[in-house]
Amino acid sequence: MTPPETRYARSGDFHIAYQVVGSGPLDLVFVPGAASNVDIFWDAPHWANFFSRIATFSRLILFDKRGTGLSDRIAGIASLEERMDDVRAVMDAVGSQRAALFGISEGGPMSLLFAATYP
C-alpha cells in the first residue's frame, strides 16, 4: 500500500511528522513505542493491514514522536510531558478535539498521561 501523505505539525521548536487515514466518526491516535517511521509502517504488510482495518471505522492519526522517524531530531531524550505535547500538537493540526488513544510500549504511559491531563 502507498503511504498516505506525510504532513508536519509544530510542537514547540520541533516539527512532528503525521499522517491521517480513514474518515470514520471516531478519531483514533496511534501512539507508537520507542521507534517508529510513519512511511516505513506501510512497507510492513502486518502494520499496513492493521492500520487499514482501523481506518475502516475511524479517522486514524499516526505520528512519529520527536527524535524518531520523520520528525525533527533532538539532542538528548525528551521528557514524557514534551512527547505528550506532540500528541496535542498533532491533534490540533488535524482539528481533532476528542480522540481515543491507542498507545503501545512506551506510548502507553504517554497516552495515560495525555488522557489524565486532557480528559
Side-chain angles (χ1 to χ4, degrees):
M1 176 177 190
T2 304
E5 181 181 359
T6 301
R7 297 178 183 258
Y8 293 86
R10 190 116 173 120
S11 181
D13 293 332
F14 298 96
H15 295 96
I16 307 301
Y18 72 90
Q19 297 174 345
V20 178
V21 186
S23 59
L26 167 72
D27 283 353
L28 193 149
V29 179
F30 180 79
V31 184
S36 68
N37 183 305
V38 291
D39 278 350
I40 292 177
F41 273 142
W42 296 100
D43 291 336
H46 62 282
W47 281 117
N49 184 49
F50 178 68
F51 291 141
S52 294
R53 293 198 46 143
I54 291 173
T56 64
F57 64 84
S58 71
R59 180 170 72 144
L60 176 61
I61 303 163
L62 305 168
F63 75 102
D64 290 330
K65 294 180 289 197
R66 65 180 69 196
T68 66
L70 302 176
S71 292
D72 285 348
R73 299 289 168 249
I74 60 172
I77 299 172
S79 70
L80 192 58
E81 290 79 7
E82 289 169 324
R83 291 183 190 193
M84 180 191 69
D85 202 45
D86 297 345
V87 174
R88 185 205 46 78
V90 169
M91 286 179 65
D92 287 350
V94 301
S96 177
Q97 294 186 7
R98 183 180 173 119
L101 301 176
F102 184 155
I104 62 168
S105 186
E106 75 170 24
M110 198 166 83
S111 297
L112 292 171
L113 180 61
F114 185 90
T117 304
Y118 303 104

